[in-house]
Amino acid sequence: MLGEEMNSFIKVWLAVFTSLCYCHAMGKMVPKGPKRLTFLLPIVCLFLYLPLNLYSPHLGGLTAFFIAWLGNFKLLLFAFDKGPLNTRISLPLFMALACLPIKIQQDPIKENPSSKSQGKSKEGTVNYVIKGLLLAIILWSYNFIEYIHPNIIKLLYALHIYFFLEIFLAIGAAMVRSFYGVELEPQFNEPFLSASLQDFWGKRWNLMVASIMRPTVYEPTLRFSSAVIGRKWAPVPSVLSTFVVSGVMHELVFYYLRRVSPTGEVSWFFIFHGICLTLEIGLKKALSGKCRLPWIVTGPLTVGFVLGTGVWLFIPQFTRSKLDVRAFEEYAEIGALLKSSCEKVLNHIFYHL
């Protein structure tokens, strides 16, 4: 089963790389605007189709997120010479930026290596080691899942998703950084330290999504809203529209994972957060900074609210369609494959001693 899925995965990504070569060429030959968009739309449709060839929760879910959502949004921006993609960069870097959740850091600080930068690097390494250990503990705790309360299991799933995404994306970004020699923006910024919903969604959680949603949804809506209701309150419908689109795209990713009609709960999770965030923005504007609570109050409230609503509306999508069971089966297959490979290597070594 795993072998067949890997074959499909390779075929899908060969199609992705070939399509991006075409997009890079069209960018050089076709001027920006509706005409270039016309040439790119077949690739957008192809990227929506390709994840349907994968059934693995990990391979299929990540592929859907990378190309059906982020990749397509980047191509739509590229049609008008906006976003992270352009024809001035090399083809390999163009493909990496198009199909991976990475973004080149703008105006990186140019300075010689110092003890400060080395300290930051060591601190980051320790940070990921700790998160890796926490993820390992969570995976180990699943051995006792029958003794754990269902709500605690959902909370563990939420932490599992966060740690897995941050570690996996950080490894991918490190590989791109070392290969191309470019500085990349971080994908996460310690979301558990968020002081508000605005801080969580705008500056700390899955920053690559925020950086793509801003020019594709938020800014166009902001310009339109500013002309209708004025600049002061224009962010309110802009934020809400961004969360609605985010909810729809998450429903699409879950469809690729589950292959059943969406229930709407994932959309409601993001719509609910969009409403709460717009209320938060409105309250801040009304108070004009007169009343600011310390982080010791707002921090736990923010993280508790995100986790609570996630356990209520978001995480049940994994358990309802047994995505968690399929993920555990994949872990078992990978573990058995690694064990078999190690035994073959050891037997080969001992045979030649």
Side-chain angles (χ1 to χ4, degrees):
M1 181 66 180
L2 186 60
E4 293 178 3
E5 188 73 3
M6 283 302 300
N7 288 334
S8 298
F9 179 74
I10 292 170
K11 291 177 182 177
V12 164
W13 278 93
L14 284 175
V16 170
F17 294 144
T18 304
S19 301
L20 291 175
C21 290
Y22 163 83
C23 293
H24 189 263
M26 288 300 103
K28 289 187 174 182
M29 293 187 292
V30 182
K32 66 178 180 180
K35 189 175 181 180
R36 186 189 292 179
L37 177 62
T38 303
F39 281 90
L40 295 182
L41 279 178
I43 304 303
V44 172
C45 296
L46 177 64
F47 281 7
L48 290 172
Y49 164 75
L50 286 175
L52 292 172
N53 294 280
L54 300 172
Y55 295 91
S56 160
H58 295 93
L59 300 180
L62 290 172
T63 298
F65 173 55
F66 288 177
I67 65 171
W69 184 357
L70 294 187
N72 271 344
F73 276 42
K74 290 176 184 179
L75 289 179
L76 293 175
L77 290 171
F78 175 61
F80 300 92
D81 259 357
K82 296 182 179 180
L85 304 179
N86 60 74
T87 55
R88 296 183 298 276
I89 59 178
S90 66
L91 176 60
L93 184 56
F94 179 91
M95 290 194 292
L97 290 173
C99 64
L100 296 175
I102 57 175
K103 182 181 179 183
I104 296 177
Q105 186 175 342
Q106 300 299 317
D107 301 323
I109 300 174
K110 296 180 180 180
E111 56 181 8
N112 294 326
S114 62
S115 58
K116 183 177 179 181
S117 62
Q118 291 173 358
K120 270 190 172 181
S121 176
K122 290 179 180 178
E123 183 181 338
T125 302
V126 171
N127 187 18
Y128 286 118
V129 168
I130 292 172
K131 289 174 181 176
L133 290 173
L134 290 174
L135 177 60
I137 292 171
I138 290 172
L139 293 174
W140 173 77
S141 70
Y142 293 151
N143 293 319
F144 312 97
I145 200 166
E146 64 270 19
Y147 305 110
I148 305 175
H149 191 278
N151 287 333
I152 301 298
I153 293 172
K154 292 176 183 178
L155 179 61
L156 290 175
Y157 285 170
L159 296 173
H160 179 168
I161 293 168
Y162 162 58
F163 290 133
F164 172 79
L165 281 177
E166 179 159 9
I167 293 170
F168 180 84
L169 296 180
I171 292 172
M175 293 172 64
V176 172
R177 187 184 297 111
S178 61
F179 187 79
Y180 294 106
V182 294
E183 284 299 321
L184 301 176
E185 294 186 2
Q187 289 96 342
F188 290 87
N189 182 23
E190 311 301 353
F192 50 86
L193 296 178
S194 301
S196 65
L197 288 177
Q198 191 174 15
D199 186 31
F200 178 86
W201 290 112
K203 298 178 181 179
R204 294 186 180 275
W205 178 260
N206 210 345
L207 299 178
M208 295 304 101
V209 170
S211 69
I212 291 300
M213 296 295 283
R214 192 172 293 114
T216 52
V217 182
Y218 179 82
E219 290 176 358
T221 309
L222 183 66
R223 287 193 293 269
F224 176 78
S225 302
S226 297
V228 176
I229 61 176
R231 186 66 180 83
K232 181 177 180 181
W233 295 102
V236 173
S238 304
V239 167
L240 190 56
S241 299
T242 303
F243 275 85
V244 169
V245 174
S246 180
V248 172
M249 296 311 298
H250 276 86
E251 291 282 12
L252 178 64
V253 172
F254 270 104
Y255 176 77
Y256 288 125
L257 289 170
R258 301 166 59 208
R259 306 298 164 88
V260 296
S261 299
T263 62
E265 288 172 285
V266 175
S267 291
W268 276 114
F269 170 80
F270 287 96
I271 291 171
F272 182 53
H273 272 257
I275 293 171
C276 292
L277 181 50
T278 54
L279 291 173
E280 180 184 289
I281 292 171
L283 186 61
K284 286 179 179 178
K285 288 183 178 293
L287 294 175
S288 300
K290 294 177 182 177
C291 179
R292 287 191 177 183
L293 296 174
W295 179 88
I296 194 67
V297 176
T298 60
L301 285 175
T302 300
V303 175
F305 179 78
V306 172
L307 285 175
T309 52
V311 167
W312 171 35
L313 293 170
F314 193 88
I315 299 301
Q317 306 307 309
F318 290 92
T319 57
R320 189 172 297 133
S321 53
K322 296 187 177 180
L323 282 175
D324 53 339
V325 176
R326 287 163 54 195
F328 294 152
E329 290 174 350
E330 279 190 12
Y331 292 143
E333 284 190 65
I334 293 171
L337 182 63
L338 290 174
K339 182 180 178 182
S340 175
S341 299
C342 290
E343 288 177 349
K344 288 180 180 178
V345 171
L346 290 174
N347 289 336
H348 181 75
I349 293 172
F350 288 134
Y351 177 79
H352 290 280
L353 285 177

